[in-house]
Short mmCIF file of all heavy atoms in Angstrom, two decimals:
data_model
loop_
_atom_site.label_atom_id
_atom_site.label_comp_id
_atom_site.label_asym_id
_atom_site.label_seq_id
_atom_site.Cartn_x
_atom_site.Cartn_y
_atom_site.Cartn_z
N LEU A 1051 17.11 0.66 -4.72
CA LEU A 1051 17.46 1.92 -5.64
C LEU A 1051 16.32 2.83 -5.46
O LEU A 1051 15.17 2.53 -5.68
CB LEU A 1051 17.58 1.43 -7.05
CG LEU A 1051 18.82 0.48 -7.41
CD1 LEU A 1051 18.79 0.33 -8.97
CD2 LEU A 1051 20.13 1.15 -6.96
N ARG A 1052 16.70 4.06 -5.24
CA ARG A 1052 15.78 5.18 -4.95
C ARG A 1052 16.15 6.42 -5.69
O ARG A 1052 17.12 6.42 -6.33
CB ARG A 1052 15.68 5.47 -3.40
CG ARG A 1052 15.35 4.25 -2.57
CD ARG A 1052 15.90 4.30 -1.24
NE ARG A 1052 15.64 5.46 -0.50
CZ ARG A 1052 16.28 5.66 0.75
NH1 ARG A 1052 17.03 4.76 1.29
NH2 ARG A 1052 15.98 6.85 1.34
N GLY A 1053 15.26 7.25 -5.74
CA GLY A 1053 15.43 8.61 -6.24
C GLY A 1053 15.89 8.54 -7.75
O GLY A 1053 15.36 7.72 -8.56
N GLU A 1054 16.92 9.39 -8.20
CA GLU A 1054 17.22 9.41 -9.66
C GLU A 1054 17.86 8.08 -10.04
O GLU A 1054 17.65 7.80 -11.33
CB GLU A 1054 18.27 10.59 -9.82
CG GLU A 1054 18.59 10.82 -11.26
CD GLU A 1054 17.26 11.12 -12.11
OE1 GLU A 1054 16.30 11.69 -11.66
OE2 GLU A 1054 17.22 10.50 -13.26
N ASP A 1055 18.49 7.37 -9.26
CA ASP A 1055 19.11 6.03 -9.65
C ASP A 1055 17.95 5.13 -10.07
O ASP A 1055 18.04 4.35 -11.05
CB ASP A 1055 19.89 5.37 -8.59
CG ASP A 1055 21.23 6.15 -8.19
OD1 ASP A 1055 21.69 6.85 -9.14
OD2 ASP A 1055 21.75 5.94 -7.25
N MET A 1056 16.96 5.17 -9.22
CA MET A 1056 15.73 4.29 -9.51
C MET A 1056 15.02 4.74 -10.84
O MET A 1056 14.68 3.98 -11.63
CB MET A 1056 14.74 4.46 -8.26
CG MET A 1056 13.44 3.74 -8.58
SD MET A 1056 12.16 4.86 -9.25
CE MET A 1056 11.99 6.03 -7.96
N ARG A 1057 14.78 6.03 -10.94
CA ARG A 1057 14.07 6.65 -12.03
C ARG A 1057 14.84 6.25 -13.37
O ARG A 1057 14.22 5.80 -14.34
CB ARG A 1057 13.92 8.08 -12.00
CG ARG A 1057 13.13 8.78 -13.05
CD ARG A 1057 13.39 10.19 -13.18
NE ARG A 1057 13.03 11.00 -11.92
CZ ARG A 1057 11.89 11.47 -11.69
NH1 ARG A 1057 10.90 11.48 -12.55
NH2 ARG A 1057 11.62 12.03 -10.54
N SER A 1058 16.14 6.46 -13.37
CA SER A 1058 16.99 6.18 -14.55
C SER A 1058 16.97 4.77 -14.96
O SER A 1058 16.69 4.35 -16.11
CB SER A 1058 18.35 6.68 -14.36
OG SER A 1058 19.13 6.34 -15.45
N ALA A 1059 17.11 3.80 -13.96
CA ALA A 1059 17.12 2.44 -14.28
C ALA A 1059 15.69 1.96 -14.76
O ALA A 1059 15.68 1.10 -15.74
CB ALA A 1059 17.55 1.64 -12.99
N VAL A 1060 14.67 2.32 -14.12
CA VAL A 1060 13.41 1.82 -14.41
C VAL A 1060 12.86 2.39 -15.77
O VAL A 1060 12.48 1.65 -16.69
CB VAL A 1060 12.37 2.25 -13.30
CG1 VAL A 1060 10.92 1.88 -13.87
CG2 VAL A 1060 12.65 1.47 -12.04
N THR A 1061 13.18 3.61 -16.04
CA THR A 1061 12.86 4.26 -17.37
C THR A 1061 13.62 3.51 -18.47
O THR A 1061 12.99 3.26 -19.54
CB THR A 1061 13.25 5.69 -17.38
OG1 THR A 1061 12.48 6.43 -16.45
CG2 THR A 1061 12.95 6.35 -18.77
N GLY A 1062 14.90 3.27 -18.34
CA GLY A 1062 15.64 2.51 -19.33
C GLY A 1062 15.11 1.15 -19.56
O GLY A 1062 14.97 0.71 -20.75
N TYR A 1063 14.79 0.49 -18.47
CA TYR A 1063 14.19 -0.92 -18.64
C TYR A 1063 12.82 -0.89 -19.33
O TYR A 1063 12.57 -1.61 -20.21
CB TYR A 1063 14.01 -1.54 -17.26
CG TYR A 1063 13.58 -2.85 -17.15
CD1 TYR A 1063 14.33 -4.00 -17.67
CD2 TYR A 1063 12.36 -3.17 -16.73
CE1 TYR A 1063 13.85 -5.23 -17.74
CE2 TYR A 1063 11.85 -4.49 -16.58
CZ TYR A 1063 12.67 -5.51 -17.13
OH TYR A 1063 12.09 -6.74 -17.03
N TRP A 1064 11.95 0.13 -18.88
CA TRP A 1064 10.68 0.15 -19.58
C TRP A 1064 10.82 0.50 -21.15
O TRP A 1064 10.13 -0.04 -21.93
CB TRP A 1064 9.83 1.22 -18.96
CG TRP A 1064 9.23 0.89 -17.58
CD1 TRP A 1064 9.12 -0.45 -17.13
CD2 TRP A 1064 8.61 1.76 -16.68
NE1 TRP A 1064 8.59 -0.42 -15.88
CE2 TRP A 1064 8.32 0.89 -15.66
CE3 TRP A 1064 8.36 3.11 -16.58
CZ2 TRP A 1064 7.60 1.41 -14.42
CZ3 TRP A 1064 7.78 3.67 -15.52
CH2 TRP A 1064 7.35 2.75 -14.30
N ASN A 1065 11.72 1.34 -21.42
CA ASN A 1065 12.03 1.59 -22.82
C ASN A 1065 12.32 0.42 -23.69
O ASN A 1065 11.84 0.29 -24.82
CB ASN A 1065 13.06 2.72 -23.01
CG ASN A 1065 12.68 4.13 -22.72
OD1 ASN A 1065 11.45 4.48 -22.85
ND2 ASN A 1065 13.50 4.96 -22.28
N ILE A 1066 13.19 -0.47 -23.13
CA ILE A 1066 13.53 -1.66 -23.79
C ILE A 1066 12.33 -2.55 -24.01
O ILE A 1066 12.10 -3.12 -25.04
CB ILE A 1066 14.67 -2.40 -23.08
CG1 ILE A 1066 15.96 -1.60 -23.23
CG2 ILE A 1066 14.79 -3.83 -23.58
CD1 ILE A 1066 17.16 -2.17 -22.50
N LEU A 1067 11.49 -2.72 -22.91
CA LEU A 1067 10.36 -3.63 -23.02
C LEU A 1067 9.32 -2.95 -24.01
O LEU A 1067 8.76 -3.85 -24.80
CB LEU A 1067 9.71 -3.69 -21.58
CG LEU A 1067 10.50 -4.43 -20.57
CD1 LEU A 1067 9.64 -4.58 -19.33
CD2 LEU A 1067 10.95 -5.86 -21.05
N PHE A 1068 9.15 -1.76 -23.97
CA PHE A 1068 8.18 -1.12 -24.84
C PHE A 1068 8.65 -1.29 -26.33
O PHE A 1068 7.79 -1.60 -27.19
CB PHE A 1068 8.08 0.39 -24.65
CG PHE A 1068 7.14 1.16 -25.60
CD1 PHE A 1068 5.75 1.15 -25.29
CD2 PHE A 1068 7.68 1.94 -26.65
CE1 PHE A 1068 4.87 1.76 -26.27
CE2 PHE A 1068 6.85 2.50 -27.45
CZ PHE A 1068 5.38 2.46 -27.32
N ASP A 1069 9.91 -1.20 -26.67
CA ASP A 1069 10.29 -1.35 -28.05
C ASP A 1069 10.18 -2.77 -28.53
O ASP A 1069 9.91 -3.02 -29.66
CB ASP A 1069 11.87 -1.02 -28.14
CG ASP A 1069 12.06 0.53 -28.07
OD1 ASP A 1069 11.08 1.28 -28.21
OD2 ASP A 1069 13.24 0.91 -27.72
N ALA A 1070 10.29 -3.77 -27.48
CA ALA A 1070 10.19 -5.18 -27.88
C ALA A 1070 8.71 -5.56 -27.87
O ALA A 1070 8.29 -6.35 -28.82
CB ALA A 1070 10.85 -6.04 -26.93
N ASP A 1071 7.94 -5.02 -27.10
CA ASP A 1071 6.45 -5.34 -27.08
C ASP A 1071 5.67 -4.42 -26.21
O ASP A 1071 5.74 -4.49 -25.05
CB ASP A 1071 6.34 -6.74 -26.42
CG ASP A 1071 4.86 -7.30 -26.47
OD1 ASP A 1071 4.03 -6.52 -26.89
OD2 ASP A 1071 4.67 -8.44 -26.07
N PRO A 1072 4.95 -3.32 -26.82
CA PRO A 1072 4.34 -2.32 -26.08
C PRO A 1072 3.37 -2.73 -25.01
O PRO A 1072 3.25 -2.16 -24.00
CB PRO A 1072 3.65 -1.55 -27.20
CG PRO A 1072 4.46 -1.78 -28.46
CD PRO A 1072 4.97 -3.16 -28.29
N LYS A 1073 2.73 -3.99 -25.29
CA LYS A 1073 1.78 -4.47 -24.21
C LYS A 1073 2.48 -4.88 -22.98
O LYS A 1073 1.77 -4.90 -21.92
CB LYS A 1073 0.96 -5.64 -24.85
CG LYS A 1073 1.72 -6.96 -24.86
CD LYS A 1073 0.89 -7.96 -25.35
CE LYS A 1073 1.62 -9.35 -25.49
NZ LYS A 1073 0.70 -10.51 -26.01
N SER A 1074 3.77 -5.09 -22.97
CA SER A 1074 4.48 -5.51 -21.74
C SER A 1074 4.47 -4.29 -20.74
O SER A 1074 4.67 -4.62 -19.56
CB SER A 1074 6.00 -5.85 -22.07
OG SER A 1074 6.65 -4.62 -22.53
N VAL A 1075 4.24 -3.10 -21.10
CA VAL A 1075 4.23 -1.98 -20.28
C VAL A 1075 2.77 -1.21 -20.21
O VAL A 1075 2.68 -0.20 -19.84
CB VAL A 1075 5.33 -0.97 -20.43
CG1 VAL A 1075 6.69 -1.56 -20.17
CG2 VAL A 1075 5.16 -0.39 -21.89
N GLY A 1076 1.80 -1.99 -20.79
CA GLY A 1076 0.48 -1.42 -20.80
C GLY A 1076 0.17 -0.52 -22.04
O GLY A 1076 -0.82 0.17 -21.94
N GLY A 1077 0.89 -0.74 -23.04
CA GLY A 1077 0.64 -0.05 -24.30
C GLY A 1077 1.27 1.23 -24.57
O GLY A 1077 1.37 1.78 -25.75
N LYS A 1078 1.78 1.96 -23.47
CA LYS A 1078 2.48 3.20 -23.66
C LYS A 1078 3.41 3.39 -22.53
O LYS A 1078 3.27 2.79 -21.41
CB LYS A 1078 1.48 4.37 -23.68
CG LYS A 1078 0.66 4.63 -22.46
CD LYS A 1078 -0.21 5.79 -22.64
CE LYS A 1078 -1.13 6.09 -21.33
NZ LYS A 1078 -2.00 7.22 -21.47
N LEU A 1079 4.44 4.24 -22.70
CA LEU A 1079 5.44 4.52 -21.62
C LEU A 1079 4.95 5.44 -20.70
O LEU A 1079 4.34 6.46 -20.96
CB LEU A 1079 6.63 5.06 -22.32
CG LEU A 1079 7.52 3.99 -23.07
CD1 LEU A 1079 8.61 4.73 -23.90
CD2 LEU A 1079 8.23 2.96 -22.13
N PRO A 1080 5.04 5.09 -19.35
CA PRO A 1080 4.63 6.07 -18.27
C PRO A 1080 5.41 7.43 -18.32
O PRO A 1080 6.61 7.37 -18.79
CB PRO A 1080 4.95 5.25 -17.02
CG PRO A 1080 4.87 3.80 -17.36
CD PRO A 1080 5.42 3.86 -18.72
N ASP A 1081 4.83 8.53 -17.96
CA ASP A 1081 5.59 9.73 -17.85
C ASP A 1081 6.31 9.89 -16.54
O ASP A 1081 6.22 9.02 -15.73
CB ASP A 1081 4.57 10.96 -18.11
CG ASP A 1081 3.43 10.90 -17.13
OD1 ASP A 1081 3.57 10.39 -16.02
OD2 ASP A 1081 2.33 11.38 -17.55
N ASP A 1082 6.86 11.03 -16.33
CA ASP A 1082 7.74 11.26 -15.12
C ASP A 1082 6.91 11.23 -13.85
O ASP A 1082 7.44 10.94 -12.86
CB ASP A 1082 8.49 12.61 -15.18
CG ASP A 1082 9.76 12.53 -16.21
OD1 ASP A 1082 10.09 11.39 -16.49
OD2 ASP A 1082 10.21 13.51 -16.63
N ASP A 1083 5.57 11.38 -13.99
CA ASP A 1083 4.72 11.52 -12.75
C ASP A 1083 4.60 10.07 -12.22
O ASP A 1083 4.03 9.85 -11.12
CB ASP A 1083 3.43 12.09 -13.13
CG ASP A 1083 2.56 12.46 -11.87
OD1 ASP A 1083 3.26 13.05 -10.98
OD2 ASP A 1083 1.42 12.09 -11.72
N ALA A 1084 5.11 9.06 -12.88
CA ALA A 1084 5.01 7.58 -12.48
C ALA A 1084 5.95 7.38 -11.35
O ALA A 1084 5.88 6.38 -10.62
CB ALA A 1084 5.37 6.71 -13.56
N PHE A 1085 6.83 8.31 -10.98
CA PHE A 1085 7.85 8.04 -9.93
C PHE A 1085 7.61 8.84 -8.64
O PHE A 1085 7.20 10.04 -8.75
CB PHE A 1085 9.20 8.28 -10.48
CG PHE A 1085 9.51 7.47 -11.70
CD1 PHE A 1085 9.43 7.94 -12.96
CD2 PHE A 1085 9.97 6.05 -11.57
CE1 PHE A 1085 9.70 7.11 -14.10
CE2 PHE A 1085 10.32 5.32 -12.59
CZ PHE A 1085 10.06 5.82 -13.79
N TYR A 1086 7.95 8.23 -7.55
CA TYR A 1086 7.92 8.92 -6.19
C TYR A 1086 9.23 9.68 -5.98
O TYR A 1086 10.24 9.17 -6.11
CB TYR A 1086 7.58 7.95 -5.15
CG TYR A 1086 7.96 8.43 -3.82
CD1 TYR A 1086 7.24 9.54 -3.19
CD2 TYR A 1086 8.97 7.81 -3.08
CE1 TYR A 1086 7.52 9.99 -1.86
CE2 TYR A 1086 9.28 8.35 -1.69
CZ TYR A 1086 8.60 9.34 -1.23
OH TYR A 1086 8.92 9.78 0.08
N THR A 1087 9.05 11.07 -5.63
CA THR A 1087 10.23 11.76 -5.30
C THR A 1087 10.30 11.87 -3.87
O THR A 1087 9.39 12.42 -3.19
CB THR A 1087 10.34 13.19 -5.99
OG1 THR A 1087 10.09 13.02 -7.40
CG2 THR A 1087 11.51 13.97 -5.62
N GLU A 1088 11.34 11.40 -3.28
CA GLU A 1088 11.40 11.44 -1.74
C GLU A 1088 11.40 12.77 -1.20
O GLU A 1088 11.96 13.72 -1.77
CB GLU A 1088 12.65 10.63 -1.30
CG GLU A 1088 12.51 9.07 -1.76
CD GLU A 1088 13.65 8.30 -1.23
OE1 GLU A 1088 14.14 8.66 -0.10
OE2 GLU A 1088 14.13 7.36 -1.93
#
């Protein structure tokens, strides 16, 4: 999965992990700069 499909899926997954346990993603949610735009 690449591009926007990747960004959307990963962001949603990280949000769930953060809500359940913030340390699972390093204590805070990454911003949009965390993704590579092809």
